């Protein structure tokens, strides 16, 4: 049996015109580290669930990506993080919304899944679940990056001048991973700071099971990135699974339809990564680029940014 692992580092903040060779190399290196962290689990016979956890933690630890350290700021100058994880084996799922403190929000989501009877938590009790699970917490200076702070100032200045655009490349970003392990189980995990300048308290698609994150062994595992409100309204991730389940579409057909039609035609810029139970993968996006990478058993890891 073979394994597959796909990761993304978001579909935003990615204009080719503002990219430098050094930055580009750093993004590729970050994606490689995530692939390595996840593949180490899978090649040792570990579970898809552990692989996506490891890969997303590596991306959360990387300040270049909008999650964990390096998350974007709300309009109040705070960082509020969303994360989710789902096990395709039994559809168990956990999510945290609008939290600050745990170094790896995806681990907090997993703690909700494994240690509570709930699926989604926010507020002090979500942090309490993370604390009880023994997760590492960090202070503001750990999560802070100047680049994200400057992006907020730019966004606030544009808002004040009434010249705010909806350029997705300036605002967005997220990280995620999907995997199929050697036993044929699927899992997905996603983690984000959301949008630069989002309203405090806003929750995106990332922690919403079926919108930004989904896994079901019968069909596929999906992790999304993009304009979260649209991904929620179009139930992007579970729609891909439904098209496979009820319309008999392949993973690629289903994901392409949702990203290039449902989302693209409705202001839903972004993309998804997905894997099916046979280990097929697909990574469609309708934005200028999407930080992404994949590795399959017996193959070299591969990363890309633009088309
Ligand atoms: N989907 C995320 C959100 O809306 C942001 C992103 O992926 O760019 O919170």
């Amino acid at each position: 049996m073979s394994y597959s692992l796909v990761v993304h580092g978001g579909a935003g903040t990615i204009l080719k015109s503002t990219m430098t060779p050094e930055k580009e190399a750093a993004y590729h290196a970050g994606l490689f580290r995530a692939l390595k962290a996840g593949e180490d689990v899978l090649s040792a016979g570990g579970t898809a669930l552990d692989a996506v956890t490891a890969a997303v933690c590596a991306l959360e630890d990387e300040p270049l990506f909008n999650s964990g350290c390096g998350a974007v700021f709300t309009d109040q100058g705070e960082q509020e993080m969303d994360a989710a994880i789902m096990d395709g084996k039994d559809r168990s799922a956990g999510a945290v919304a609008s939290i600050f403190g745990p170094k790896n929000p995806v681990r907090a989501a997993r703690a909700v899944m494994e240690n509570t009877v709930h699926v989604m938590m926010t507020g002090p009790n979500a942090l309490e679940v993370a604390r009880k699970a023994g997760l590492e917490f960090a202070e503001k200076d750990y999560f802070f990056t100047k680049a994200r702070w400057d992006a907020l100032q730019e966004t606030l200045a544009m808002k004040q001048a009434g010249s705010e655009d909806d350029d997705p490349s300036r605002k967005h970003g997220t990280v995620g991973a999907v995997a199929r392990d050697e036993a044929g189980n699927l899992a997905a995990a996603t983690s984000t700071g959301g949008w630069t300048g989002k309203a405090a308290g806003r929750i995106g698609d990332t922690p919403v099971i079926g919108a930004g994150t989904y896994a079901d062994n019968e069909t596929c595992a999906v992790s999304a990135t993009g304009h979260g409100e649209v991904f929620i309204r179009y139930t992007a991730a579970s729609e891909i699974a439904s098209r496979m389940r009820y319309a008999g579409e392949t993973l690629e057909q289903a994901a392409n339809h949702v990203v290039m039609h449902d989302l693209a035609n409705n202001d839903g810029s972004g993309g998804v990564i997905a894997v099916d139970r046979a280990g097929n993968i697909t990574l469609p996006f309708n934005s200028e680029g999407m930080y992404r990478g994949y590795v399959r058993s017996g193959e070299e890891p591969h990363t890309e940014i633009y088309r």
Side-chain angles (χ1 to χ4, degrees):
M1 282 292 237
S2 57
Y3 59 76
S4 308
L5 171 70
V6 193
V7 300
H8 71 77
T13 54
I14 208 164
L15 289 187
K16 201 162 192 170
S17 52
T18 60
M19 187 61 96
T20 63
E22 295 75 31
K23 251 204 234 171
E24 203 165 323
Y27 279 112
H28 282 290
L31 292 167
F32 267 113
R33 274 195 294 279
L35 287 173
K36 165 99 176 61
E39 188 178 19
D40 283 352
V41 173
L42 294 170
S43 61
T47 64
L49 192 69
D50 284 342
V52 296
T53 305
V56 168
C57 282
L59 293 163
E60 286 176 336
D61 292 346
E62 170 55 67
L64 283 174
F65 299 114
N66 172 16
S67 64
C69 167
V72 299
F73 290 89
T74 68
D75 60 357
Q76 304 297 309
E78 304 289 342
Q79 288 163 304
E80 297 180 350
M81 302 173 204
D82 299 337
I85 189 160
M86 187 161 181
D87 189 348
K89 198 171 161 184
D90 57 3
R91 294 211 200 192
S92 54
V96 285
S98 215
I99 64 159
F100 180 87
K103 214 176 147 200
N104 292 108
V106 72
R107 287 197 193 281
R110 189 160 168 176
V112 170
M113 174 173 107
E114 291 178 339
N115 304 341
T116 79
V117 295
H118 307 302
V119 168
M120 193 193 286
M121 292 185 71
T122 186
N125 282 339
L127 298 181
E128 193 49 33
V129 169
R131 246 181 236 111
K132 276 202 181 130
L135 301 190
E136 198 179 338
F137 277 57
E139 299 297 329
K140 282 191 172 181
D141 57 352
Y142 167 77
F143 295 101
F144 180 92
T145 57
K146 186 169 180 311
R148 300 300 189 200
W149 185 254
D150 290 348
L152 174 65
Q153 303 317 313
E154 195 191 331
T155 300
L156 293 179
M158 284 168 101
K159 256 190 194 165
Q160 206 168 23
S163 62
E164 198 192 4
D165 56 15
D166 56 0
D167 178 358
S169 67
R170 198 168 40 76
K171 285 191 183 171
H172 286 195
T174 283
V175 308
V178 296
R180 174 201 189 271
D181 62 28
E182 285 184 337
N185 291 311
L186 307 183
T190 317
S191 179
T192 191
W195 286 22
T196 299
K198 69 182 179 182
R202 175 264 189 190
I203 296 165
D205 60 314
T206 296
V208 179
I209 299 301
T213 308
Y214 188 75
D216 166 24
N217 275 6
E218 290 300 308
T219 51
C220 59
V222 180
S223 171
T225 173
H227 189 165
E229 281 68 9
V230 184
F231 283 65
I232 293 174
R233 289 195 274 117
Y234 284 79
T235 55
S238 66
E239 182 71 9
I240 294 171
S242 296
R243 295 187 73 91
M244 293 175 71
R245 191 188 301 272
Y246 303 121
E249 291 187 352
T250 64
L251 177 77
E252 195 174 350
Q253 287 170 335
N256 249 305
H257 183 92
V258 169
V259 172
M260 301 304 183
H261 182 267
D262 296 352
L263 297 171
N265 293 343
N266 293 287
D267 195 27
S269 79
V272 303
I273 54 172
V275 62
D276 69 13
R277 60 181 173 172
N280 297 306
I281 62 170
T282 190
L283 307 82
F285 55 95
N286 59 39
S287 41
E288 190 167 327
M290 180 168 81
Y291 303 105
R292 62 201 189 277
Y294 58 85
V295 63
R296 285 176 288 214
S297 30
E299 292 177 20
E300 286 302 309
H302 184 82
T303 61
E304 277 180 81
I305 300 179
Y306 301 101
R307 278 182 197 288

